[in-house]
């Protein structure tokens, strides 16, 4: 059955094998697809063509990778190893074909998709900005297992291949061409002709030079491996993320023997895949997919956006929308307020696009509009002014009559309930929240904040728009702080309380990082801005039953606002916090982390009990992608489930007895563990 692949032969006796995964928008190498691919290779080999071209029939891209959903269901290392060895056999068959093969790449070519492409004799990639090639496996707690750790080194040389696998970053077609990952990077219209030319001329395959081969020498490998481990250790701890360390060991021990490399790859990856870290990271990947899937209930398409507020958030939201291909008008009180936003946008475009023509095209789509003439033409109007209820209400009264009937009216408020903001609107139910996080270009989550009267199609349209601009949409109910700020604030306030108790900031941050957080809470508070932290803390004080620590208020009154003022809980120099080394024992660090993390987890349960989000999985997704909560733990509710009812309630009870009612276990735990 040709369910996922179909082959066409042309007059030049070339076989064109199209991958078009059934019942899917994206090509993924499921076990079924791999078996069909193998059968297709057998049939094509028997027809003796002059060459084989493998390409995608889908607009979304070449191949997005292996079947991650299937990875989540694998329970034994032996089952994983069997799958990996079968993939090895199939890709060996592709590599051994007696005629040239070409992978024709557009869009995503990631993970297993890139490993398939590496088994071809040649690779040609489209220069379209959507084309990305890479090995993201370390983000799933594994490393390339379908022969990628062997073939990438053979093609690129040792260090380029190792750095690519260890980083998990993807490359554009042009960058891939520079390191010889692909043979040609051409406009999409030239892909097929380039493939024909390669098969006709059969140029010699690229061989890495001496400098790329030397690090693999058996005498040098141990020293190079130590350097690589030191580099990795600057980013992640081995106890949190074992995969990059396992990859380095795999390379150090086996790089001189191809057969050993394949055998070790199967052994190491199957062992990692069934470990707790990989299974939790796979869970996070699937949660991300679920958030993306929420956008499928609408066909809403925005072409023009109007952003009101040229400050950091408003300006960066506008720039991000432009970066995603939209035309944007940006409004503020006067032209001079827009200058800094336009300058920041230009820097972002230069960093992301790296092509002066693309940068200019982006700048042409970002229009300063202090008079607000773009309101009537916009499909989405986003308000991002300062957090003042009356100021926002006055703005909506002016804007609403100018808007198109079907346009979205959204606020970027970080904590004010929508019901209050919508009171002066002619149609209050049309206001919805799109809460972005700072920095906009780096934070993947957007809270889609809903009020009771929002019609479902409106919520669906806002969710669709969020995904269309490359963000993860999380529907949350309009309650003080919504989800992310509501959960994050007790964690930050506990860190400030520890400071009041005399615990050094460096120890507090080290405790959080030891747990797995990407940044310590004291540094995070300084980075966000202590004035903003204070504002949110005051708005949530009643909800959280938590008095605002005096040292936070004192810092703000003294003008010590954190990174932006150069002084907060830390002194800042050249954009970096000046902090010393942690001095506390490991037991003390664990205790500090427990206090902060359990406050975050307990508040997560409160949000779940109040129905701020639909279920525990969506809560985990929101907290991971909105706060950076250690992904390898799988999310706060998943982490709590692993701890179990007895341990959670025991620890919270002891902390309540010692430190007070802010640690009182939320009533929701009883029902949660009873389910």
């Amino acid at each position: 059955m040709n369910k996922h692949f179909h082959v066409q032969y042309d007059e030049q006796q070339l076989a064109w094998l199209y991958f078009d995964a059934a019942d899917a928008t994206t090509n993924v190498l499921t076990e079924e697809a791999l078996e069909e691919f193998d059968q297709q290779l057998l049939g094509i080999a028997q027809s003796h063509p002059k060459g084989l071209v493998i390409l995608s029939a889908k607009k979304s891209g070449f191949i997005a990778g292996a079947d991650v959903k299937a990875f989540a269901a694998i329970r034994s290392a032996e089952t994983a190893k069997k799958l990996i060895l079968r993939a090895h056999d199939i890709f060996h068959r592709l590599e051994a074909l007696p005629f040239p093969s070409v992978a024709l790449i557009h869009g995503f070519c990631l993970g297993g998709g890139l490993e398939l492409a590496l088994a071809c004799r040649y690779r040609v990639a489209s220069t379209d900005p959507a084309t990305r090639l890479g090995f993201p496996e370390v983000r799933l707690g594994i490393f390339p297992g379908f022969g990628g750790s062997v073939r990438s080194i053979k093609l690129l040389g040792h260090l380029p291949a190792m750095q690519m696998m260890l980083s998990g970053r993807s490359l554009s077609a042009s960058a891939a061409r520079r390191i010889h990952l692909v043979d040609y990077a051409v406009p999409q219209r030239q892909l097929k002709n380039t493939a024909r030319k390669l098969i006709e001329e059969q140029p010699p395959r690229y061989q890495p030079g001496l400098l790329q081969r030397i690090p693999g020498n058996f005498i040098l490998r141990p020293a190079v491996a130590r350097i690589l481990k030191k580099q990795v250790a600057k980013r992640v701890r081995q106890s949190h993320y074992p995969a990059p360390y396992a990859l380095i060991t795999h390379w150090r021990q086996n790089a001189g023997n191809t057969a050993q490399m394949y055998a070790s790859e199967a052994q190491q990856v199957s062992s990692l895949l069934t470990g707790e870290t990989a299974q939790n990271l796979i869970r996070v990947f699937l949660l991300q997919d679920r958030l993306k899937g929420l956008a499928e209930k609408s066909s809403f398409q925005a072409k023009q956006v109007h952003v009101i507020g040229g400050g950091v958030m408003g300006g960066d939201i506008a720039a991000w929308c432009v970066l995603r291909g939209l035309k944007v008008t940006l409004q503020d009180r006067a032209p001079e307020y827009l200058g800094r936003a336009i300058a920041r946008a230009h820097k972002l475009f230069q960093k992301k696009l790296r092509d002066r023509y693309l940068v200019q095209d982006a700048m042409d789509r970002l229009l300063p509009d202090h008079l607000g003439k773009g309101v009537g033409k916009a499909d989405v109007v986003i308000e991002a002014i300062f957090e003042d209820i009356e100021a926002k209400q006055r703005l909506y009264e002016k804007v609403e009559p100018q808007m198109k009937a079907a346009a979205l009216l959204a606020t970027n408020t970080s904590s004010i309930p929508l019901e209050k903001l919508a009171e002066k609107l002619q149609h209050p139910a049309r206001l919805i929240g799109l809460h972005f996080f700072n920095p906009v270009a780096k934070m993947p989550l957007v809270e889609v904040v809903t009020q009771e009267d929002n019609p479902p199609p409106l919520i669906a349209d806002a969710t669709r728009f969020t995904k269309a601009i490359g963000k993860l949409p999380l529907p949350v109910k309009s309650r003080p702080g919504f989800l992310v700020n509501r959960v994050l604030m007790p964690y930050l306030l506990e860190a400030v309380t520890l400071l009041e108790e005399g615990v050094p900031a460096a120890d507090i941050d080290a405790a959080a990082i030891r747990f797995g957080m990407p940044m310590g809470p004291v540094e995070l508070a300084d980075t966000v801005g202590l004035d903003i932290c204070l504002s949110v803390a005051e708005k949530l004080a009643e909800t959280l039953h938590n008095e605002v620590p005096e040292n936070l208020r004192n810092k703000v009154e003294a003008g010590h606002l954190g990174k932006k003022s150069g002084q907060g809980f830390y002194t800042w120099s050249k954009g970096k916090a000046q902090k010393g080394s942690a001095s506390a024992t490991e037991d003390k660090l664990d205790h500090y982390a427990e206090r902060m993390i359990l406050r975050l987890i307990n508040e997560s349960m409160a949000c779940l009990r109040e129905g701020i989000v639909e279920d525990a999985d969506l809560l985990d997704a929101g907290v991971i992608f909105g706060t950076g909560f250690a992904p390898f733990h799988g999310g706060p509710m998943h982490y709590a489930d692993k701890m179990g009812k007895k341990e959670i309630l025991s620890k919270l009870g002891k902390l309540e007895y010692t430190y007070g009612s802010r640690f009182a276990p939320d009533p929701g735990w009883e029902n949660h563990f009873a389910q």
Side-chain angles (χ1 to χ4, degrees):
M1 290 179 62
N2 297 334
K3 186 176 179 182
H4 304 290
F5 291 87
H6 65 271
V7 63
Q8 296 176 0
Y9 294 89
D10 64 16
E11 62 278 5
Q12 295 172 289
Q13 294 181 284
L14 301 183
W16 299 81
L17 182 59
Y18 288 85
F19 188 6
D20 191 4
D23 304 318
T25 57
T26 306
N27 287 332
V28 172
L29 290 172
T30 62
E31 194 169 356
E32 181 182 77
L34 277 168
E35 291 299 334
E36 186 182 322
F37 179 65
D38 190 42
Q39 292 302 309
Q40 289 281 5
L41 290 179
L42 285 169
I44 290 168
Q46 290 169 3
S47 68
H48 305 292
K50 286 185 177 180
L52 166 65
V53 183
I54 301 173
L55 64 168
S56 168
K58 294 190 183 297
K59 292 181 179 180
S60 58
F62 184 64
I63 304 172
D67 184 7
V68 179
K69 289 182 181 177
F71 288 172
I74 293 175
R75 293 291 174 263
S76 74
E78 197 55 42
T79 302
K81 188 174 180 181
K82 184 179 178 182
L83 170 65
I84 291 168
L85 290 174
R86 180 65 183 128
H88 282 182
D89 288 342
I90 295 168
F91 289 0
H92 285 325
R93 190 189 309 284
L94 169 60
E95 189 175 44
L97 289 173
F99 42 81
S101 55
V102 182
L104 218 56
I105 298 163
H106 75 275
F108 290 118
C109 178
L110 303 172
L114 181 54
E115 291 180 283
L116 184 150
L118 286 171
C120 294
R121 191 180 299 183
Y122 307 111
R123 285 151 299 283
V124 181
S126 164
T127 52
D128 186 281
T131 298
R132 306 298 298 178
L133 302 92
F135 290 124
E137 283 89 344
V138 288
R139 297 177 185 175
L140 296 177
I142 56 176
F143 61 82
F146 287 0
S149 74
V150 188
R151 291 191 177 94
S152 63
I153 288 170
K154 185 178 178 182
L155 176 67
L156 306 179
H158 293 270
L159 287 183
M162 288 296 289
Q163 287 163 352
M164 187 174 177
M165 290 185 282
L166 288 169
S167 72
R169 289 193 293 269
S170 61
L171 302 175
S172 66
S174 298
R177 174 67 185 89
R178 284 195 292 272
I179 65 168
H180 302 282
L181 183 63
V182 299
D183 297 276
Y184 287 98
V186 299
Q188 188 151 347
R189 65 183 183 277
Q190 296 177 14
L191 285 175
K192 289 187 175 182
N193 284 338
T194 306
R196 291 188 182 97
K197 182 179 178 182
L198 277 168
I199 291 172
E200 182 66 31
E201 297 180 358
Q202 296 190 38
R205 300 172 72 176
Y206 172 75
Q207 297 292 328
L210 182 63
L211 287 176
Q212 282 75 38
R213 299 197 306 271
I214 282 178
N217 181 279
F218 76 97
I219 296 174
L220 296 177
R221 275 205 310 274
V224 175
R226 284 194 295 272
I227 294 170
L228 289 174
K229 282 189 176 181
K230 284 183 180 179
Q231 291 174 345
V232 170
K234 292 177 182 178
R235 302 197 313 270
V236 295
R237 298 164 65 102
Q238 187 168 1
S239 58
H240 295 165
Y241 297 97
Y245 295 90
L247 171 60
I248 294 168
T249 300
H250 155 72
W251 171 78
R252 176 177 59 80
Q253 293 177 345
N254 306 288
N257 186 306
T258 300
Q260 274 183 211
M261 278 285 278
Y262 280 114
S264 171
E265 182 184 82
Q267 183 67 40
Q268 294 295 324
V269 174
S270 59
S271 177
L272 287 167
L273 184 59
T274 50
E276 185 176 355
T277 294
Q279 286 299 309
N280 282 344
L281 291 174
I282 288 167
R283 165 183 163 77
V284 172
F285 178 88
L286 297 178
L287 290 176
Q288 178 177 271
D289 265 8
R290 184 179 172 192
L291 293 183
K292 292 177 181 177
L294 297 174
E296 302 306 317
K297 299 175 183 178
S298 166
S299 58
F300 178 80
Q301 283 188 319
K303 294 182 179 179
Q304 184 163 333
V305 175
H306 184 78
V307 179
I308 306 173
V312 172
M313 285 303 296
D316 289 358
I317 291 168
W320 182 260
C321 290
V322 169
L323 200 59
R324 303 301 297 186
L326 298 174
K327 181 180 178 181
V328 179
T329 46
L330 178 59
Q331 179 182 349
D332 210 315
R333 289 167 291 171
E336 55 266 27
Y337 294 111
L338 297 173
R340 280 179 289 186
I342 300 298
R344 277 198 320 277
H346 188 254
K347 286 183 179 178
L348 177 68
F349 300 155
Q350 287 179 317
K351 181 180 178 181
K352 294 287 187 181
L353 299 174
R354 298 184 181 184
D355 180 297
R356 62 191 181 98
Y357 297 108
L358 293 176
V359 170
Q360 186 57 53
D361 180 60
M363 291 299 292
D364 290 344
R365 285 184 279 110
L366 178 58
L367 306 176
D369 179 22
H370 76 281
L371 296 176
K373 293 183 178 179
V375 172
K377 300 175 183 177
D379 303 300
V380 180
V381 175
I382 301 174
E383 168 269 307
I385 66 171
F386 57 98
E387 291 286 85
D388 181 275
I389 294 174
E390 292 183 358
K392 290 177 186 284
Q393 288 177 337
R394 287 195 298 271
L395 177 65
Y396 301 154
E397 284 184 291
K398 294 179 182 177
V399 167
E400 186 183 19
Q402 303 175 51
M403 291 177 59
K404 295 192 292 189
L408 292 177
L409 174 58
T411 174
N412 183 54
T413 181
S414 59
S415 57
I416 304 172
L418 266 63
E419 290 79 2
K420 289 185 178 180
L421 294 178
E423 286 176 351
K424 301 293 180 67
L425 284 169
Q426 295 175 17
H427 304 285
R430 81 179 299 178
L431 181 67
I432 198 160
L434 290 178
H435 180 213
F436 292 77
F437 296 91
N438 191 26
V440 173
K442 290 184 178 179
M443 297 299 288
L445 190 79
V446 169
E447 288 178 314
V448 180
V449 187
T450 65
Q451 49 176 322
E452 292 292 334
D453 295 336
N454 285 145
L458 174 71
I459 299 170
D461 288 352
T463 305
R464 179 80 174 191
F465 169 73
T466 302
K467 186 194 173 188
I469 60 170
K471 296 296 182 182
L472 299 175
L474 177 73
V476 299
K477 288 187 178 177
S478 175
R479 300 288 188 275
F482 314 136
L483 174 69
V484 173
N485 282 346
R486 166 86 176 270
V487 166
L488 187 61
M489 193 48 59
Y491 166 76
L492 293 179
L493 291 178
E494 195 61 28
V496 176
T497 301
L498 283 164
L499 284 170
E500 281 193 329
E501 293 173 8
V503 179
D507 286 0
I508 297 167
D509 281 352
I513 290 168
R514 178 177 166 82
F515 174 80
M517 302 300 270
M519 179 187 287
V522 181
E523 184 176 355
L524 177 61
D526 265 4
T527 302
V528 169
L530 299 187
D531 52 338
I532 294 173
C533 290
L534 177 62
S535 173
V536 176
E538 288 176 335
K539 288 184 174 72
L540 295 180
E542 184 178 346
T543 302
L544 300 176
H545 308 290
N546 197 131
E547 291 184 8
V548 179
E550 279 303 310
N551 59 345
L552 175 59
R553 199 183 303 279
N554 292 341
K555 286 283 184 185
V556 174
E557 288 176 357
H560 298 161
L561 308 182
K563 185 177 181 179
K564 59 189 172 186
S565 70
Q567 179 69 50
F569 290 118
Y570 288 116
T571 298
W572 290 77
S573 177
K574 297 179 180 179
K576 291 187 177 181
Q578 304 303 297
K579 42 176 154 173
S581 301
S583 57
T585 64
E586 290 187 356
D587 285 346
K588 282 188 175 181
L589 291 177
D590 289 343
H591 176 68
Y592 302 152
E594 186 174 89
R595 282 176 58 175
M596 295 183 289
I597 296 301
L598 281 177
R599 288 213 61 195
L600 183 152
I601 290 173
N602 202 36
E603 200 61 38
S604 295
M605 171 49 73
C607 290
L608 191 62
R609 174 177 53 80
E610 294 173 19
I612 304 297
V613 288
E614 187 178 319
D615 56 45
D617 283 351
L618 286 181
L619 186 143
D620 279 346
V623 178
I624 289 169
F625 296 116
T627 73
F629 183 89
F632 66 91
H633 284 309
M637 298 310 300
H638 186 72
Y639 181 70
D641 288 342
K642 287 281 185 181
M643 291 176 70
K645 176 181 178 181
K646 184 178 179 180
E647 189 173 355
I648 281 279
L649 295 183
S650 172
K651 287 187 173 184
L652 284 170
K654 289 176 182 177
L655 290 169
E656 181 186 13
Y657 178 80
T658 306
Y659 298 105
S661 60
R662 67 183 184 276
F663 285 101
D666 188 85
W669 288 116
E670 290 293 339
N671 289 335
H672 177 73
F673 283 112
Q675 292 171 1

